[in-house]
Each structure stands twice: as C-alpha cells, then as structure tokens.
C-alpha cells in the first residue's frame, strides 16, 4: 500500500529545509534535489508506475502505456529560500490522485503520466522551466549547454554530478501526451476571497527576466569627491525605484530581487552592479513597454552618473492561454462535487505554460492559499485544502480517462 | 645585497593579482597574504633586520634595538580588487629607504622599525586597521574574537590556518616606539594639481562604517501586486540615493559599496537587503549629522514601504590630527631637497591614524598619484615618483635618527 498524501508530505518536509529561515533550498542537481528524485522514484516503484527519464532532467511515471496520455504533475525544485508547496504539491497530489482512482476502481482508457519537471524556477541556471523548455524544443540543447550556475558550473556537469545522464533535446514522450493538467498552490488570494477551495486558470501573463549591467569606475570611498564619482550603485538605485513606480502606475509587476556587486567592498565605490529585473505585463505589448520605460529611465540616470547600462533579455515568455475546451471539460466534470469553479489568470510562469505554447492542450488547477504568499518560507496551504485538491484532481482525471 | 625598489616591486606584482581585472585580492590570512608575509620576512632576513611578530598579525622588522624607535612602514593587504600601491608602497619604500641610508653610511642613533600591519583595509573581517587597533589597545581582544569573515570563519581560526600564532592584545613594541611616519600613495589629486611629488598630511577626516539592515517580506515576484509588497530593495534604493545626495550637498562622503541580498533570487521579492554605508565627514559633528540624516530618510521610506530598517555602527573613527611638531620637523628636513612640501588632509583611514589617536606622535607622507584613483585596479604611481618617495622617506628618517 503506497503512502497516502499526508505521509508523503511528511517525508518531503525535511528535505532541503533551512533551519534558520524555515524555507527550502531545492536547487536542481544538488544532493538535496537528488534525494527528492530518489524519493519520487521510490514512490512510483511502490505504485508499480514505471519511471522514464528523458535526458533533460525530467522524470515521468506511467500508469498504463501508449499514446494520448493525460499528463499530470509539476516540479520538485524550489526558489532560493522558497516554500514547500510551489511544485511538490502538484507532484504529490498526482500520486495521491492515482491512489484514489485505483481505490475507486477506475480502469483508465488512456494512460496517465505523472511528470516531475527539472529547474522550473530557474533558481540555479537562470532559465525558468528549463526541463519543459528542453523537452518541448522551446530551448535548444546548444543554448542550454552554455548555461552555468553562479559558481560557473555548466549544466551538463551539474547533471552528470547528480547522476542524471544528460541527453538534451526534444523528448519523444511529448508525442505520447494528449493533454496536461498541472495542479499548483495558488499564488494569490483569489480563491480565499471567493471562499473557494479549487480553481482553474485562464491564462499566464507574459513575463521575462532581464539582466541590467551597470558599470562605473571603482575608486576610494573616502577620498573620491562625490562630484568626481561614476558610481553604478546610484544608477541601479534610481532604476529600481523607477521599476517599482512604473509597474505600480501601469498595474503590472517589476522586481529587482537579485543583485551582484563588484568588488562589493565597504570602502570602495563599486566598478559594477548587476541586477536582474523580473517583469510581468498584462499583454505582450504592455510588457515590452514596461521594460523599455525602465531601461530608458535607467539609461538616462546612467548618463547623468557617468556610468554605462547594458540590458540583456535572459528569457521572455509570451502570453499563454490555456486550452478552453480542456478547461471547460474539467470545469464541467468538477461542477457536480465542486460547484461553479472559478477561472482566474496567473501572473506566474509554469511548465504548463511552456507545454501549452508548444501545442499541448493544457489546463491548470489551483488549490487555495490562505495568505496568497509564495516563493517564501511563509507559503502555505491547509491540509484539508490539499486533500480536497487531490480529490478534485482525481475527479478531473477520471473525467478525462473514462 | 638586498633587492632594490624596482626589483622588490616586480616580485610583489604577481601576488594576488586577478588576471580578469588586473586588480589585487590580498585579504589577510589567505594563502596570497601568507606569501606576502613570507616575502617580507625574506627581505628583512636579507637585510639582517630581525622580525618581531606581535600575535595580532603585525610584523615589525628592526634596524637596531632599544626604545624611542622611529617606526615606518604600512600594510600589505588590499581591498577586494584593489590596487598595487595602497599599503605595499609604504612597506617597500621603507625597506628601500633603509638600503639608501646604509649606502649613505648613516649610523642611526635611534632604532628604526619597519611595520607591516594586518587587515588595514578591513576587507575580510570588516574592521579597518584591525592589526594596529589590537596592538594599540583601541580594539579589545574580546571583541576581535567575535569577528567573522563573510564565510563565517572566525578571526582566530583564519590566523591559525595562515600559520600566525594568535595572541591578541596590546603589543609591547608600542612602548619602544618614539614616532611613526607612514608613507602612502596619495588618494586624491592634490599633488598632481600642485605639480609636486611628495606631500605631508595634516589630519584624517572622521569616518565610519554602518550596517543598514532592511527587512521586508519575501513573496512571488509575479503574483504579488505592487501595492501589497514590502520590498526592502526599494527602501535600500531610496536610502542609497539619499546618501549620495546628502553627502554631495554637504561636501562630505557617503558610499554604499557592499550589498548582500536574501534570498537573492530573480523571481522572489527579497526578504532582506543588507548594505554597508561608508561615511566620512569634515568634523565629528558633521559625520554624526550626515549619518543621522541618511538613517532618518531611510527609516521614513521603510515606513512607507512597510519594511524595517536597523542601523548598526560597525566602526567609527574620530578626527585625527597628525603631530604638528613631528610634521614640521620632517617638513623642514625635506625643504633642502624638496622645497616647500605641501601639507594636505586625507579622507582615508590609516594605521597612522590609529596610532596617532593612541598617543604615538605620527606623521604621514604622500607620493603623487597621477589620476587620484585608489581602491581600484587603476591605482597608479610613476616609478620615478616612487623612487623619489624612497629618497624623501630616507631624508626624513635621517633627520629623525641623526
């Protein structure tokens, strides 16, 4: 008898948890993430679900074989100091849903696959949804081979060190998938405000990551007159404030959450400040306008400071609409037990967005998050809501495989 | 025959040099700095100058024994990605000056000591002039034992790992010193503007290091509405701009050159931004006013952002006036060969400032810096000026020991 949801959740709880913050550090191809992968393989073995590794770091467990499969699942990795739910909730709920379907005596007419995608957060190699991008051909193996982590370790070396045999590129499992339904903790308060436990997604906002390199002239912090400086920290500071203000007035999102300073010494004016902008817009056009305006203000300030600003797009994902037919079908199937399930947009990127853009009919299901907080140790969902999510996911799968 | 100045300079040139930037990384008690210390010991051995280690990481080489010694020298460590001259120029010039005095046949009536002080820059343990502070009793052994580097390595462990037997506390060599004359590359353009090769210092501006901890709430960079955020990066950005502006309008100095962000992920609003303020003021009162105003503006912005700001003074050094009698004596001795030597203030801290505050009659001599740049790979002095500095230092010492 495989573990039930609560037992699985308890097993995962200590893996990669920081005692200091209570947050999780589950970066891909680290020893912690290897433990998570082993745990996934063991759970699948206990359920007699054969596991397929695709050479991009993704794992798929199969209930039944053949084509036109219903893919469920999510990812196991976290952001730096992230929460327990973003990713793992979808994987654990999928395994528990299979248990539930089996206990209901469901004999699926289509195969069901549970996916655990690699580096969804991009927290180590900087490119979010790396596993699903490679498997779907959205990112080429050539460009992925250039990726390095903050310590300069190349992707392929990191994979090999974690015992993952790399064979990057479009995965043939893609041809055996009929649709993808990703369950995820909600990253907002829509459901709690509506007093609903589960919801479905309409679309993903366009979003991107942009590297801002501000370069100036290192010099002594004491002896250099203020008017003689070319201090890139000041250019960055103004740009960060401009980003916050532009996003606020336009109802969009802009964040500088990562900064790297050189030489980063207290008594030296920096020679370089590199900061990464995470930006999200309601439409592709509004995202372009937002980033262009932030860049314009940063460049103007750099001109005044005598510093230089170079902006590089590291990844940009266009707007994604989930499959209306699949979503309507799931919604109608859920109506009996769950009533009129809300359909809401998401500003976060997901593997579901990558596969949807690659042509897989895709839908997303959300489980209520009482605070709306995610990417933080504070991320949370009530156990009762998680269990309800398992049931809703099982209902949805049953509708698709019956 | 010991090496001459140019040979010594060439030997030091490759130690700790970054091929990427051309700058130097000579942090205390690293393998590179151990090489510098060994090099100093070898040079002293070749000159038959016995070397005394004081248990605080400082080395003193003695030409003659007894009390009322003339101390010269400086330090060998650098800031992160610093220049070749700040520190080593004073040590190498002191050894070369002894060679020159010997070749002149000078038989000193007082001992001459060459000091190489530890962690002058505070680039590893955060407390500038750590070696001279400990030796003079300005910093207690108890508080120094609490110091850790960025990787959490305690000072004592770092010293022991570098083969330096730690025995922290006031050094007895202090009682054998009659005066201290530190030669240093100028960190400004006073001498180049006056077309002079050497100068003397009047005073050191009061200065300090202050840690600004901005704490907020980590959350998802995409899903969290701008108006729901408590983003410490914005509070820091406004504070950095305020610091630059306040220093500019008051003719003082304020720099945020070092920043540490947690969790430092692209798609997460930070939970904490820690930034170190380096501030220098014309008087003790104006420094206090400058820091208080920066803190006030930072606190006000934090209030608006829903973040919290805590400010901790890590080290504050009051105004230091160099000894007017010693300085006048050196100036008059130099007049024959060097004319009317300019006397200028410095905004940088030095071991000379620590020993002056501890009661040692102290003077500083500067060598021209054509660009005024320091704490940077661009730091430079012409070889002809360095050699002139050696001669001026020898002249000054000769005046003091005759």
């Amino acid at each position: 008898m495989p573990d039930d949801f609560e037992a699985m959740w308890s097993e995962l709880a200590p893996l990669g948890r920081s005692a200091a913050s209570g947050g999780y550090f589950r970066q891909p191809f680290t020893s912690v993430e290897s433990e998570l992968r082993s745990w996934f393989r063991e759970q699948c073995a206990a359920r007699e679900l054969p596991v397929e590794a695709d050479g991009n770091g993704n794992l798929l467990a199969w209930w039944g074989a053949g084509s036109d499969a219903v893919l469920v699942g999510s990812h196991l990795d976290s952001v730096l100091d992230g929460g327990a739910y973003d990713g793992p909730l979808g994987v654990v709920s999928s395994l528990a849903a299979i248990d539930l379907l089996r206990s209901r005596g469901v004999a699926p007419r289509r195969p069901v696959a549970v996916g655990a995608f690699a580096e969804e957060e991009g927290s180590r190699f900087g490119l979010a949804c790396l596993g699903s991008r490679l498997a779907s051909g959205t990112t080429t193996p050539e460009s992925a081979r250039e990726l390095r982590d903050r310590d300069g370790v190349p992707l392929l070396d990191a994979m090999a060190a974690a015992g993952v045999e790399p064979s990057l590129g479009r995965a043939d499992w893609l041809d055996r998938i009929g649709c993808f339904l990703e369950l995820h903790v909600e990253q907002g308060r829509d459901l709690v405000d509506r007093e609903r436990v589960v919801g479905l997604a309409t679309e993903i906002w366009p979003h991107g990551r942009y590297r801002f390199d501000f370069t100036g002239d290192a010099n002594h912090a004491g002896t250099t007159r203020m008017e003689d400086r070319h201090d890139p920290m000041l250019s960055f500071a103004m740009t960060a404030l401009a980003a916050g203000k532009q996003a606020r007035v336009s109802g969009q999102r802009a964040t500088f959450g990562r900064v790297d300073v050189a030489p980063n010494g207290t008594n030296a004016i920096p020679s370089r400040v590199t900061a990464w902008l995470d930006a999200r817009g309601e439409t592709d056009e509004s995202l372009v306008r937002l980033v262009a305006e932030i860049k314009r203000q940063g460049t103007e300030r750099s001109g005044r400071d005598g510093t230089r600003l170079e902006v590089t797009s590291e990844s940009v994902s266009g707007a994604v609409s989930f499959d209306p037919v699949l979503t309507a079908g799931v919604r109608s199937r859920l109506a009996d037990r769950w009533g009129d399930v809300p359909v809401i947009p998401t500003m976060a990127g997901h593997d579901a967005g990558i596969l949807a853009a690659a042509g897989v009919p895709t839908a997303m299901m959300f489980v209520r998050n009482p605070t709306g907080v995610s990417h933080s140790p504070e991320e949370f969902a009530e156990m009762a809501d998680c269990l309800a999510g398992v049931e809703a996911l099982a209902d949805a799968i049953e509708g698709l495989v019956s």
Side-chain angles (χ1 to χ4, degrees), chain A residues 74-320:
Chain A
S74 188
H75 62 94
L76 294 169
D77 64 295
S78 76
V79 296
L80 297 165
D81 211 18
Y85 297 81
D86 181 347
L89 184 65
V91 175
V92 175
S93 297
S94 296
L95 294 171
I98 287 178
D99 296 344
L100 189 55
L101 290 169
R102 281 171 163 169
S103 73
R104 288 181 191 169
V106 172
R109 294 188 308 145
R110 300 164 70 180
V112 176
V114 180
F117 291 100
E119 177 66 317
E120 194 272 342
E121 300 291 2
S123 69
R124 182 165 179 191
F125 292 99
L127 187 58
C129 302
L130 181 58
S132 58
R133 281 177 192 272
L134 281 165
S136 61
T138 309
T139 290
T140 63
E142 292 68 37
S143 62
R145 276 190 206 102
E146 301 296 315
L147 295 173
R148 281 168 171 58
D149 71 9
R150 296 178 195 202
D151 297 324
V153 180
L155 172 64
L156 290 188
D157 292 4
M159 293 176 81
V164 176
E165 206 170 318
S167 158
L168 305 184
R170 192 180 181 285
D172 63 31
W173 58 254
L174 200 67
D175 302 323
R176 284 175 272 138
I177 299 299
C179 65
F180 179 27
L181 175 58
E182 180 171 2
L183 178 146
H184 203 280
V185 67
E186 195 196 347
Q187 297 171 293
R189 288 195 295 255
D190 263 297
L191 294 175
V192 76
D193 287 350
R194 296 166 194 248
E195 300 185 353
R196 305 302 296 272
V197 180
V198 294
L200 292 165
T202 50
E203 56 176 351
I204 295 181
W205 274 24
H207 55 279
R209 294 177 180 204
Y210 311 83
R211 198 179 71 239
F212 281 56
D213 287 299
F214 300 89
T215 48
D217 297 318
N219 209 331
H220 193 292
T223 63
T224 317
R225 294 186 311 167
M226 300 308 287
E227 47 272 45
D228 293 339
R229 297 175 176 215
H230 308 292
D231 183 349
M233 188 69 82
L234 299 180
S235 313
F236 160 64
M238 208 295 292
T239 308
L241 292 177
K245 184 167 180 194
Q246 282 306 312
R248 202 169 60 245
V249 299
S250 63
Q252 305 185 83
R253 312 274 192 273
T255 310
F256 280 105
R258 178 179 171 198
V259 175
D260 180 70
V261 181
N264 211 28
T266 303
N267 54 356
I269 299 163
S271 56
R272 177 184 53 75
V273 175
T274 298
W276 283 260
L277 171 69
D278 179 301
R280 325 241 172 175
E282 210 162 353
T283 65
D284 292 337
E285 295 68 35
S286 64
L287 175 63
V288 167
R289 273 201 306 275
L290 174 65
V291 175
E293 179 58 21
I294 296 167
K295 180 179 172 179
R296 189 191 68 74
Q297 293 195 32
T299 304
E300 189 187 281
R301 172 75 194 212
S302 290
R304 278 188 281 143
D305 289 337
T307 59
R308 293 161 300 287
L309 168 59
E310 203 171 305
V311 179
T312 310
S313 297
E314 292 200 334
S315 71
V316 181
S317 302
V320 168

